[in-house]
């Protein structure tokens, strides 16, 4: 147990150091600060607080019943969120899965919860892009079509899995006893275990998680709309479309960079605050 904790702490230190380097090289630059004024900072900060409050509630609802205290959950959220934002190719999600899985002592549940959280967030993002696309009459980037097909396929797979599972299980049980049959049954049971975990996490919460995700993205878009009034008055629909599509690509809009910058600063402040409160309570 002690060795496991040492490994966990070591991985945390290495990942956080890497994230700090990425943050310094990618977000501490002249273009980040050029547009900053007190109105700009206040508007983005309010938006950041609301968005992360909603996202934190969404993930907490998905993790509900896992035994995490508010303090522990807050610290983990503030630690893993910057990693998730900063690391390319969604590699930060692996760290999120590892941290939540370690804390609740269930890697499968941690993985399923994080994947479901990202799934709901992606559905909400695609929904907002389609709404903006319909309203503006612009063109969607190809990745949106790909995501839409993927999301529909994933939902259909989830709906049809129980029937497919029962069919293949009966078919395999009737087959002759071979090593391949046993391996196939074990593989089928592993998939079924993952399905049951997803069903357990999403049951009664799926729609709520989706609505919260929509509210979070609507808040970000609202922030972009307000900022547009104080800036160059660029076509609002175009600005919204650029912001949403940049969330799916490696090329981030300036507004998204500002949002990320303030988000990370906020996460650091909240983490230090929660840690300080825990320390003071522990000393009493």
């Amino acid at each position: 147990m002690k060795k496991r904790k040492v490994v966990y702490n070591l991985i945390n230190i290495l990942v956080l150091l890497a994230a700090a380097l990425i943050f310094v090289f990618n977000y501490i630059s002249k273009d980040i600060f050029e547009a900053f004024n007190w109105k700009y900072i206040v508007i983005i900060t309010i938006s950041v607080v609301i968005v992360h409050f909603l996202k934190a509630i969404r993930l907490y609802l998905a993790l509900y019943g896992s035994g995490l205290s508010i303090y522990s959950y807050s610290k983990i959220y503030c630690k893993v969120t910057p990693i998730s934002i900063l690391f390319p190719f969604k590699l930060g999600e692996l760290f999120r899965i590892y941290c939540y899985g370690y804390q609740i002592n269930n890697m499968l549940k941690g993985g399923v919860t994080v994947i479901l959280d990202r799934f709901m967030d992606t559905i909400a993002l695609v929904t907002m892009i389609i709404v903006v696309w319909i309203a503006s009459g612009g063109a969607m980037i190809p990745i949106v079509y790909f995501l839409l097909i993927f999301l529909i396929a994933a939902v259909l797979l989830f709906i049809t899995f129980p029937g497919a599972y029962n069919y293949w299980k009966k078919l395999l049980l009737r087959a002759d006893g071979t090593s391949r049959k046993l391996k196939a049954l074990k593989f089928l049971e592993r998939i079924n275990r993952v399905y049951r975990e997803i069903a357990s996490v999403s049951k009664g919460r799926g729609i709520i998680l989706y609505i919260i995700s929509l509210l979070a993205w609507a808040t970000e878009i609202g922030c972009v709309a307000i900022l547009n009034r104080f800036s160059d008055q660029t076509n609002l629909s175009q600005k919204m479309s650029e912001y949403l599509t940049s969330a799916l690509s490696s090329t981030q809009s300036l507004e998204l960079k500002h949002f990320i910058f303030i988000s990370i600063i906020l996460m650091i402040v909240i983490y230090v605050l929660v840690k300080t409160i825990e320390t003071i309570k522990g000393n009493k």
Side-chain angles (χ1 to χ4, degrees), residues 198-265:
I198 294 172
S200 174
V201 172
S202 61
K203 187 178 181 181
R205 290 175 260 189
I207 296 297
I208 297 173
L209 299 179
Y210 173 66
I211 291 171
I212 292 173
S213 299
L214 277 178
L215 289 174
W217 280 111
T219 302
E220 287 194 48
I221 288 301
C223 175
V224 172
I226 294 170
L227 291 175
N228 191 62
R229 295 189 61 186
F230 294 103
S231 60
D232 55 6
Q233 299 293 322
T234 305
N235 181 274
L236 182 57
S237 297
Q238 181 185 340
K239 183 72 78 174
M240 288 180 177
S241 181
E242 286 175 1
Y243 183 87
L244 289 169
T245 53
S246 70
L248 292 172
S249 63
S250 57
T251 305
Q252 297 171 337
S253 67
L254 186 59
E255 290 82 8
L256 184 58
K257 283 187 175 181
H258 288 155
F259 190 91
I260 290 171
F261 179 84
I262 294 179
S263 291
I264 292 169
I265 299 300

